[in-house]
């Protein structure tokens, strides 16, 4: 087997443990080659004792990468032209050594997640209101609007939760002078609360004989319960 795929646990939540995990794989000869969807793509090669570091930079330029090269770091892969992973021999000076620069690193991505969560929250609220109005007054368009409402929950969740995580990192840097450990905020509890809300809506839908919607909400509830359990086990 020349390639191996390892799940990305979430840059916002598990940056440190992911980078450490990639280092452990490199020691076994599995070297990071790219990112494919929600997975790190590793290739089989010679064992290396290298460290990895993640940085955020929108529309990164050649000058940006040159700065890291001069500091001894090699660009490995970028994700969405926003997140960039670098590698260097163990012992190389960290990319960020000052609190202010490390806070800038997370402040930029946090602000982007904040904007995204606001946009999706507005869309979510708008679609929720339209769903209620259409269900009462314009029933033929209720189903497509409600489906859009359900779909909009995902982008809102996956921008709002990282926003909270990056905010938690910034607070940790201000308090402890460093934020290179994983986020310890109890996100599993938020996942669980959301899952219970979905399950409640699903059960309510069954009582109203809205079977399609009830199934959708129950499935969403089960997905969020899985996310809650996974996050709880990871932080236990």
């Amino acid at each position: 087997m020349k390639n191996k795929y390892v799940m990305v646990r979430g840059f916002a939540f598990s940056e440190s443990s992911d980078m450490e995990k990639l280092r452990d794989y490199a020691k076994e000869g599995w070297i990071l080659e790219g990112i494919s969807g929600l997975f790190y793509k590793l290739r089989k090669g010679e064992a290396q004792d290298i460290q990895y570091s993640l940085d955020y930079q929108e529309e990164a330029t050649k000058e940006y990468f040159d700065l890291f090269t001069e500091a001894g770091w090699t660009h490995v892969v970028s994700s969405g032209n926003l997140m960039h992973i670098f590698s260097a021999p163990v012992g190389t000076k960290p990319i960020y050594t000052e609190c202010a620069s490390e806070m800038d690193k997370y402040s930029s991505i946090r602000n982007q997640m904040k904007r995204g969560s606001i946009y999706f929250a507005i869309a979510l609220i708008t679609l929720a209101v339209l769903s209620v109005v259409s269900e009462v007054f314009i029933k033929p368009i209720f189903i497509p609007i409600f489906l859009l409402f359900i779909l909009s929950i995902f982008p809102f969740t996956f921008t709002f939760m990282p926003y909270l995580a990056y905010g938690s990192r910034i607070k940790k840097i201000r308090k402890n002078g460093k934020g290179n450990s994983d986020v310890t905020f109890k996100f599993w509890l938020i996942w669980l609360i959301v899952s219970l809300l979905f399950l409640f809506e699903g059960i309510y839908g069954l009582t109203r004989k809205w079977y399609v919607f009830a199934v959708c909400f129950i499935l969403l509830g089960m997905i969020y319960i899985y996310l809650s359990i996974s996050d709880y086990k990871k932080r236990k």
Side-chain angles (χ1 to χ4, degrees), residues 142-144 146-147 150 201-202 205 210-218:
F142 171 65
I143 292 179
F146 191 75
L147 289 176
I150 293 177
E201 288 292 336
W210 298 342
Y211 297 117
V212 174
F213 307 126
V215 170
C216 289
F217 275 114
I218 290 173

Side-chain angles (χ1 to χ4, degrees), residues 66-81:
D66 286 343
L67 288 174
F68 286 89
T69 301
E70 293 172 3
W73 291 86
T74 301
H75 176 238
V76 179
V77 62
S78 296
S79 177
N81 199 26

Side-chain angles (χ1 to χ4, degrees), residues 130-131 133-135 137-147:
L130 290 176
S131 295
V133 172
S134 62
E135 200 275 333
F137 299 106
I138 320 174
K139 291 185 181 294
I141 66 171
F142 171 65
I143 292 179
I145 290 178
F146 191 75
L147 289 176

